[in-house]
Amino acid sequence: MAAAKLEDADALIDSVETFIFDCDGVIWKGDKLIDDGVPETLDLLRSKGKRLVFLTNNSTRSRKQYGSKFRTLGLTVDEEEIFSSSFAAAAYLQSIHFPKDKKVYVIGEEGIINELELAGFQCLGGPSDADKKIELTPGFYMEHDKDVGAVVVGFDRYFNYYKVQYGTLCIRENPGCLFIATSRDTVFQLNGVQEWAGGGSMVGAILGSTKQEPVVVGKPSTFMMDYIAKKFGITTSQICMVGDMLDTDILFGQNGGCKTLLVLSGVTSHEMLQSHNNSIHPDLYTNQISDLLAVKAATV
Amino acid sequence: MAAAKLEDADALIDSVETFIFDCDGVIWKGDKLIDDGVPETLDLLRSKGKRLVFLTNNSTRSRKQYGSKFRTLGLTVDEEEIFSSSFAAAAYLQSIHFPKDKKVYVIGEEGIINELELAGFQCLGGPSDADKKIELTPGFYMEHDKDVGAVVVGFDRYFNYYKVQYGTLCIRENPGCLFIATSRDTVFQLNGVQEWAGGGSMVGAILGSTKQEPVVVGKPSTFMMDYIAKKFGITTSQICMVGDMLDTDILFGQNGGCKTLLVLSGVTSHEMLQSHNNSIHPDLYTNQISDLLAVKAATV
């Protein structure tokens, strides 16, 4: 069914207990707020007793680092309200009781390492492998740690062949080694200026050499939905998922049984939403989250 | 149907007009011949009037460079008998009359660049982008050439995020831009000591950020089979494909309607061949190509 344009914000707000917001393209683009109305929008929702949750597939930062980013942008958000896919990787390993004597090889940036170490896991790789090169001389043999029991893969602008080969060796040669993806996003708005190849590239590279499908812990997998619902004791039908990407945010909301609101302030254009090639239809769409204010003002 | 062990080499040789040999794991491993009997085996087949073709998914070298490698190993092979996936990329672009005023962006090593330039195509990328880095500072915008009409992706040990993003921009933003893969091999025996993540990683990365399926010109795609059959005027039922990989070499032979002979001197073990998980069954298998000699001697 085609998405409806958001007309009655009050009715939406009244019907929902928790709003889950994606961040890139919804709250901010790069280092700037999407628009000046973002703080007031969040304040309005809080004043109406709504629970706010911020959920990003961007694994480059930890929850703590995101908390600092929210503050820099003038937004008061508690770290406990922030769920990044870097945190999701750690939460997933905890949920399956991943043994603490096993190690995790990371293809990704410091957010993942920080969250895994905070949860007590031993990490290899990540930023420390950024400049490593392989000289494939005759007879060169690349060693790898046989105690690696999971390879976690997320967006990594310092991606290189060393990391591909290391992760591949762990997954192909260490019995039972897990392959965990923080996200498979094709592109994302990393610095707010253009689209950048996303975590889907790094995950695709490892899939290409192992033929093993990853466990995805970020959107659109429902792992974080179940986690958040359990943590706060809410049923997903009382949640509205707000995001700018159809195949991650909106699909995530639909997979979880939530209401869904697409904002056109990020990756998805109105044309893409209406395209015959698009099979993902949110309940509602609007230009940006501050429309929740504008619409409200118009109906007062 | 389960593969039969090669028992009667004479019967096989008599029934075949052309042998297509994979190289890595069949003729050589790294910089060494698979065994001392390789030259004599090729000589025997030539003496019986058989046409020999050497077909590798390894795109790191050009035909000319492979010619030199054969000579170094003491094998007399004409460049015209060598078909590398680097050559296949150029042959494919020629076959579709890719316009000479368009450019090709290459994620891969010098073999691809050499073959494309030899065929008269304008190239960007390849080894010259090996050390490029992206600093994702606020406001940084990455330009790309709007005249790129094809992105060719193959194995690249100097793979990096710059190349991923450049290729992604071309495919996502240049209307009609092609995505061509020299191979999707998971792993290969690059230096003869262990398995190395193959072209499937680089192709998987671009697939992950574009969701566009590549045109594969290397094995197991039948593009090169059709090309070789046409060039030499042979029907594929008169060909025996000899290789060490089930999902590239043997599948390639089967897709093309050839006889197939698996050798266990490379990636595939006898255990993998017999595994219940394996659905690709060659007509025949043997330890190494020089068994064509040993078996013959035994039956004299």
Side-chain angles (χ1 to χ4, degrees), chain A residues 268-295:
Chain A
T268 308
S269 65
H270 191 250
E271 189 186 352
M272 287 156 73
L273 172 64
Q274 305 275 357
S275 162
H276 290 299
N277 296 326
N278 171 38
S279 60
I280 301 171
H281 304 287
D283 296 315
L284 296 164
Y285 73 94
T286 195
N287 288 326
Q288 59 231 344
I289 64 167
S290 62
D291 291 344
L292 290 168
L293 293 171
V295 176

Side-chain angles (χ1 to χ4, degrees), chain B residues 6-298:
Chain B
L6 174 69
E7 302 281 358
D8 188 346
D10 277 351
L12 174 66
I13 294 169
D14 288 346
S15 71
V16 164
E17 190 206 36
T18 298
F19 282 88
I20 303 182
F21 291 99
D22 175 41
C23 298
D24 286 300
V26 178
I27 304 293
W28 58 64
K29 240 183 205 182
D31 288 322
K32 288 185 184 154
L33 286 178
I34 284 289
D35 76 89
D36 295 342
V38 171
E40 196 187 341
T41 307
L42 302 185
D43 288 346
L44 169 80
L45 295 174
R46 288 199 201 274
S47 74
K48 287 180 167 276
K50 306 302 168 183
R51 179 181 287 108
L52 306 187
V53 168
F54 301 87
L55 178 61
T56 175
N57 263 5
N58 187 328
S59 61
T60 59
R61 302 183 203 215
S62 63
R63 297 174 99 178
K64 193 178 171 69
Q65 290 170 312
Y66 276 112
S68 160
K69 174 162 183 169
F70 276 99
R71 279 190 298 280
T72 304
L73 291 169
L75 301 172
T76 310
V77 170
D78 193 277
E79 277 172 33
E80 295 287 310
E81 296 173 316
I82 304 167
F83 296 84
S84 59
S85 63
S86 50
F87 173 79
Y92 177 77
L93 288 175
Q94 285 180 319
S95 77
I96 61 166
H97 307 290
F98 184 76
K100 293 284 165 84
D101 59 344
K102 287 276 185 184
K103 296 174 191 166
V104 183
Y105 184 72
V106 175
I107 297 175
E109 303 195 4
E110 62 174 351
I112 298 175
I113 298 274
N114 290 356
E115 291 293 353
L116 291 175
E117 289 183 345
L118 198 62
F121 297 112
Q122 301 176 64
C123 297
L124 300 172
S128 62
D129 284 352
D131 293 321
K132 291 198 179 158
K133 285 182 182 171
I134 290 177
E135 292 301 328
L136 274 168
T137 48
F140 174 75
Y141 183 88
M142 183 172 171
E143 299 284 351
H144 75 283
D145 193 320
K146 302 294 189 295
D147 289 331
V148 171
V151 176
V152 173
V153 183
F155 174 75
D156 188 344
R157 78 199 82 179
Y158 310 105
F159 193 45
N160 59 32
Y161 185 65
Y162 179 94
K163 296 180 184 182
V164 172
Q165 173 66 2
Y166 202 105
T168 300
L169 285 175
C170 293
I171 292 172
R172 289 181 69 99
E173 301 192 1
N174 291 2
C177 182
L178 303 171
F179 172 19
I180 297 167
T182 59
S183 93
R184 298 185 71 167
D185 291 1
T186 52
V187 291
F188 70 142
Q189 295 273 358
L190 188 59
N191 68 345
V193 179
Q194 68 183 153
E195 290 178 356
W196 294 90
S201 283
M202 293 78 210
V203 173
I206 301 301
L207 178 58
S209 57
T210 62
K211 295 275 187 216
Q212 185 171 320
E213 284 290 328
V215 174
V216 181
V217 295
K219 297 172 282 185
S221 148
T222 55
F223 172 71
M224 285 311 293
M225 184 70 80
D226 298 338
Y227 186 94
I228 290 165
K230 188 174 171 193
K231 181 178 173 73
F232 295 118
I234 38 178
T235 56
T236 57
S237 62
Q238 296 170 307
I239 297 174
C240 179
M241 175 68 212
V242 184
D244 69 318
M245 290 185 72
L246 293 164
D247 58 358
T248 50
D249 302 316
I250 302 305
L251 191 58
F252 170 76
Q254 292 177 339
N255 287 343
C258 308
K259 282 200 174 61
T260 54
L261 171 62
L262 177 78
V263 288
L264 301 175
S265 50
V267 164
T268 307
S269 64
H270 191 249
E271 189 186 352
M272 286 156 72
L273 171 64
Q274 306 275 357
S275 162
H276 290 300
N277 296 326
N278 172 38
S279 60
I280 301 170
H281 304 287
D283 296 316
L284 296 163
Y285 73 94
T286 194
N287 288 325
Q288 60 231 342
I289 63 167
S290 62
D291 291 345
L292 290 168
L293 294 172
V295 175
K296 182 181 154 43

Side-chain angles (χ1 to χ4, degrees), chain A residues 134-145:
Chain A
I134 291 178
E135 292 302 327
L136 274 169
T137 49
F140 174 74
Y141 184 88
M142 183 171 171
E143 299 283 351
H144 76 283
D145 193 321

